[in-house]
Structures are given as C-alpha cells and as structure tokens.
Amino acid sequence: MSADHPSAAPMVRFENVRKSYGHLTVLDDLNLDIAPNEKVAIIGPSGSGKTTVLRMLMTLEEVNDGVIWVEGDPLTHMYRDGKLVRANKRHIRQVRSKIGMVFQHFNLFPHMSAVKNCMEAPITVLGLSRDEAYERSRVLLDMVGLGDKLDHYPGQLSGGQKQRVAIARALAMRPKIMLFDEVTSALDPELVGEVLNVIRELGEAHDLTMLMVTHQMGFAKEFADRVCFFYAGKIAEQGTPDAFFGNPQNERTQQFLSAVLEAD
Amino acid sequence: MTFEWDWAYTQEILPILGKASIITVQATVIGFILAALIGLVFALLRMSTLAPVRLATGAVVEFIRSTPLLIQIFFVYFVLPEFGVTMDAMTAGILALGLHYGSYCSEVYRAGLDNIPKGQWEAATALNLSTLTTFKDIIIPQAIPPVVPALGNYLVALFKETPLLSAIAVLELMQTAKILGSESFQYTEPITLVGLFFLFFSLVSAALVRQVEAWLKTRHGGA
C-alpha cells in the first residue's frame, strides 16, 4: 500500500474524481497529483469547477466518484476488509487535520476576538492548554502583522486584516496543506497586497503545500510552481507559470488569458 | 350606583398578595428557564441528521403549540398520575408552562440557528471542530443574541399566563385573589391589585429585556 512509502506518495492525489449537482457536471474525471511543498495556482473562468476542487479536498463537498488521497491515505474513503469504502466521520476528521483553508469571505467567528479565533481549534481539537494556544496564536498573529490587534473583534478590522487573521487561524492547526479560495476577491484593491505578502512569506518560510484558486494572474505567475487552468470541469492546460503564461497551448487558455489580461 | 375603594381592606390584603406574587414570580422564572432550555433542545433535535428524530420533534412541537395551555396544565396534573407520574400542583404547573413555551421558544431558536451563515459551519469544518464544539462555541453563541427580544416577549407572555395555574389551585396571585374575594365578598380590591401587580412586573421585565438587548448590541465592538 502506498502508505508504506510516504515519501513516494504525492501530498494530494485526485483520482478519477467526479462531482455533479443534478445534471450539472462540475468536475469530470479529475486526476491531479500535488507534490509535497508544491504551490499550485488554480485559475479558470467562473463555473469551471476550480473552487469545487478545494471544497472537496476540505470535505465541504462530497465526491460523487473517485478517491481523494492525502499523503497516501484515502480522505474520502477508508479501508474495510482490504476494500475501499466511503469514509466515516471519524476517519475524515483524522485525515482532514492535515488540511487548512482560507475562504473568500473570511468566515471569522464574529463573537470572538482575533486571538480567540485562532485559539479555538487548538484548544478544543488539539487539546492545547489556554496558555499554549494563546502563545501559538500570538506568534502567528504577530507574523501576519497583527500583533497589536489580538483583542480586536472581526467587526473592528479591515477586510485585509480579517483575512490575515483567517490565515493565522488556519495555521494555528499546523496543517501540511493550505487551501486559499479566492482570498483576495472580496477585498478592496488597496488591501490585496498585504494579504498576498503574507501568503508569499508563508510559502517561503514554511514547508507547506499550497493550493490557491485565484484571479491574481501576476501573483500566480510569480508565486506558483504550477498553474492549472480549469475549463468546463476539466484541467484544460497546466504547466509552469513561464510556460503557461508565456506560451499557452490550449485555445481556451489563450482566450481566457487575453480576456483577463485585457481587463487588468 | 356607588363605588367605594376600601383602603383598609386594601392594606389588609396587600401583604397576602405580596406573598402570592412571590409564587407567581417563581413560576415565571423557573418556567421560563425550563422553556428556554426545552426550546433549545427541541430546536437542536429538529436539526438532527436522523430523519425520525427530526420528524418526531417537529410533531411534538406542533402538537404542543396547537393545544391550549390550560389543557396541558390539567393533563400534566390530573392525567400523568394515571401513568404513575405524580407531582404537586406547582411543579406540574411549571412543567406545563415550560413545555408549552418551550415549543414556542424552539421556533425562535430555529430562526436564529437558520440565520447563521453557511461560512461559519464551513470554517468550523475546516478547523476540524467536532459537532459538539461547533454548536457549543460557534453556532449557539451567535444564534441566541439576535433572538433575545423574541425570547423576551415569550417571557412576558408566560408571566401573564401564570394565572392559569389557579385552575389547579396553585396559590399564585390570581388564586389568592379569588380566595380573598370569596371570603370577604369584595372582589374589586384583590382583582384590581392583581392587575396592578402584573402591570408592574410586566413593565419591569420588558425594561430588563431591553437592557439585555442593548448590552448584546454593544459587545464585540458593535459588530
């Protein structure tokens, strides 16, 4: 079994994954391997299924077919009598602990201060003491430049600050995989930079596998190891940023890129 | 027709009614605490992933809401003993109040729970919080403050229905006033005073509810 050779296993593997809502197929037979520490930018027009990729990996959506693997262990499934069956809640929770996610609309807990937002899961899930959780959260909030806003409530923070708290909150669980779902789309333009800077530093300073759905082509180009272009539920084209942006092969990619670059 | 207010009699019965008002307030406070808890339990059961639990709870809530409180009071006090469940009148009355208003409160909680944005649940999942922690720390603390005014209305409504307990001879305000009236054949003073008691306590509790509302609004940096 692949779990015997963790070093050989990709960090994330989508294997023949299909997702549909009724008649609408959102993802059609997706196969995608992501290496440890790899930074993958997922781009594509709306409705192309790109956000669904992240949401299925975070187990916010169930797959209709196929299996998602994390470090060689099945996430959506589990072994019973040597056969793969649908994972139960307990199994999902165990594997899911390796994954963290940052959302477009922050989804901070509005009734908790910034530091409490970060402390909640380490205390209740990992069993850290309040002091340990506070210290861990303080360090992370400091890292994202909010060391002076520990006791501020989300309602007292700007969009960019909220998103940085959300990043710190996800990191407090020490995930191996971080998912970023259009994390700058809800921000005023002048606040985009501060959030992207945090993500950039994160990628440089930590061993993290990162998947990000983004509309920031400039950032994808500079930050990602690989760019995946989704179109109509499939990966229409993927490659290094240089190849992808410099010499796109697929006609859809060319159309999409010329449309977004024109809009910039 | 001459009408005279008997001040001497008023002075005589005021302490007696004052004592009875303690029973009324007790029934209100305990009954409402019970209603608030039962309501929350009902509301949460109606969110269960198990369809039978959801449907059964819905049926119970609908049944309680669609039948008169007075009948429920009689039922708890006179019918449950047939099944071996015996309790004194005060306990039976409070239980009936709690159940009746609990089923109303459950609808209020349900509105509060339904209003929690989907993103809050998703964030809880992404942080791997357990279902229990998600409800206890994330969902319920956000669902309750917005529905406090509606719950407060039910507190006042429950309070005003406590005279129904006189039907099973709980010595609350109304029952005491009736006894006083039948002893002296003077109903005007005791019944009027009971009305004034209720007016006073209603205004006080409405003001309290508004205070709590205002306090809830200013927490969390006004967000």
Side-chain angles (χ1 to χ4, degrees):
Chain A
M1 214 176 298
S2 50
D4 297 336
H5 311 284
S7 57
M11 183 58 82
V12 178
R13 163 170 284 175
F14 291 86
E15 184 184 344
N16 304 117
V17 170
R18 193 178 61 80
K19 177 70 185 174
S20 56
Y21 302 100
H23 293 299
L24 180 72
T25 301
V26 188
L27 281 172
D28 190 10
D29 197 29
L30 173 69
N31 286 285
L32 178 63
D33 279 9
I34 292 153
N37 270 332
E38 193 177 0
K39 321 291 185 235
V40 178
I42 297 174
I43 64 172
S46 62
S48 60
K50 54 191 193 306
T51 287
T52 308
V53 174
L54 298 195
R55 293 178 57 82
M56 285 192 310
L57 182 51
M58 195 66 257
T59 70
L60 300 174
E61 310 270 357
E62 283 189 14
V63 300
N64 292 117
D65 269 319
V67 184
I68 300 176
W69 305 78
V70 174
E71 280 197 306
D73 293 320
L75 165 72
T76 52
H77 294 67
M78 57 195 264
Y79 287 108
R80 188 176 290 152
D81 304 327
K83 274 190 291 196
L84 273 182
V85 295
R86 284 272 170 180
N88 60 22
K89 257 186 157 175
R90 198 162 140 247
H91 176 84
I92 289 177
R93 271 196 89 196
Q94 196 193 332
V95 181
R96 185 168 62 197
S97 64
K98 296 176 181 175
I99 311 168
M101 183 161 181
V102 184
F103 299 88
Q104 179 177 0
H105 296 290
F106 329 125
N107 298 350
L108 290 180
F109 306 131
H111 59 301
M112 296 182 185
S113 64
V115 72
K116 287 270 171 60
N117 261 278
C118 298
M119 289 164 65
E120 174 69 21
I123 291 174
T124 61
V125 181
L126 305 180
L128 262 62
S129 73
R130 296 196 75 80
D131 288 347
E132 289 167 324
Y134 182 88
E135 186 54 21
R136 181 183 285 198
S137 305
R138 189 191 61 73
V139 169
L140 285 167
L141 286 169
D142 207 36
M143 187 189 84
V144 299
L146 295 171
D148 58 338
K149 303 261 192 262
L150 298 188
D151 295 323
H152 283 54
Y153 285 91
Q156 299 166 313
L157 299 173
S158 73
Q161 292 169 333
K162 280 185 212 173
Q163 198 58 296
R164 286 185 278 150
V165 174
I167 292 171
R169 180 176 71 171
L171 290 174
M173 292 299 279
R174 306 254 164 97
K176 295 186 168 183
I177 305 161
M178 279 284 279
L179 311 179
F180 297 89
D181 185 16
E182 302 195 29
V183 294
T184 57
S185 298
L187 299 179
D188 289 333
E190 74 271 20
L191 302 177
V192 169
E194 64 187 63
V195 172
L196 292 184
N197 280 337
V198 166
I199 297 175
R200 190 179 291 123
E201 285 164 21
L202 209 60
E204 285 161 5
H206 297 266
D207 283 348
L208 271 175
T209 305
M210 294 169 133
L211 272 79
M212 63 179 69
V213 169
T214 183
H215 294 292
Q216 303 284 330
M217 295 304 142
F219 186 70
K221 198 179 206 164
E222 153 214 0
F223 180 74
D225 301 312
R226 175 158 49 135
V227 180
C228 290
F229 174 69
F230 276 75
Y231 189 86
K234 286 179 177 301
I235 299 179
E237 183 166 357
Q238 57 178 321
T240 63
D242 282 348
F244 181 84
F245 289 106
N247 187 18
Q249 303 296 311
N250 188 296
E251 193 188 336
R252 299 289 186 196
T253 316
Q254 292 161 2
Q255 283 171 0
F256 177 77
L257 286 179
S258 69
V260 272
L261 296 178
E262 218 167 278
D264 277 354
Chain B
M1 183 181 152
T2 58
F3 171 78
E4 259 183 69
W5 182 267
D6 187 340
W7 285 106
Y9 182 54
T10 303
Q11 249 181 3
E12 188 188 316
I13 63 172
L14 207 51
I16 301 169
L17 289 174
K19 253 189 204 152
S21 77
I22 295 173
I23 300 290
T24 293
V25 170
Q26 267 176 3
T28 305
V29 171
I30 303 173
F32 186 71
I33 291 171
L34 207 57
L37 293 175
I38 290 173
L40 188 57
V41 171
F42 278 165
L44 294 175
L45 287 176
R46 288 184 90 167
M47 296 176 78
S48 167
T49 46
L50 301 170
V53 173
R54 236 173 20 237
L55 294 174
T57 313
V60 167
V61 167
E62 213 43 57
F63 177 76
I64 297 177
R65 271 157 42 100
S66 313
T67 50
L69 174 57
L70 185 57
I71 294 175
Q72 289 162 12
I73 292 171
F74 271 68
F75 192 89
V76 171
Y77 189 55
F78 292 115
V79 181
L80 284 190
E82 302 278 327
F83 299 94
V85 185
T86 317
M87 50 192 117
D88 62 80
M90 179 74 168
T91 310
I94 288 175
L95 183 63
L97 281 172
L99 276 171
H100 189 81
Y101 278 91
S103 63
Y104 280 102
C105 288
S106 80
E107 293 293 301
V108 170
Y109 284 121
R110 206 149 76 109
L113 291 165
D114 284 348
N115 274 334
I116 301 299
K118 220 170 129 238
Q120 294 291 306
W121 296 93
E122 294 184 347
T125 301
L127 290 168
N128 227 2
L129 302 185
S130 68
T131 308
L132 181 69
T133 304
T134 303
F135 273 102
K136 187 171 68 68
D137 291 358
I138 310 303
I139 304 302
I140 292 175
Q142 293 186 69
I144 290 181
V147 300
V148 162
L151 290 176
N153 287 341
Y154 281 127
L155 167 66
V156 176
L158 180 152
F159 169 62
K160 290 192 295 183
E161 293 225 74
T162 53
L164 286 176
L165 299 190
S166 65
I168 53 169
V170 174
L171 285 171
E172 44 69 66
L173 271 170
M174 191 61 199
Q175 179 69 3
T176 308
K178 278 199 304 197
I179 292 171
L180 287 170
S182 64
E183 281 168 354
S184 63
F185 302 108
Q186 283 179 287
Y187 281 96
T188 310
E189 290 81 3
I191 301 295
T192 308
L193 287 175
V194 167
L196 289 175
F197 265 113
F198 272 95
L199 178 65
F200 173 73
F201 281 120
S202 287
L203 292 175
V204 168
S205 49
L208 271 175
V209 170
R210 236 167 307 149
Q211 287 284 321
V212 173
E213 256 181 85
W215 172 74
L216 286 170
K217 267 186 197 141
T218 54
R219 292 175 322 153
H220 310 328

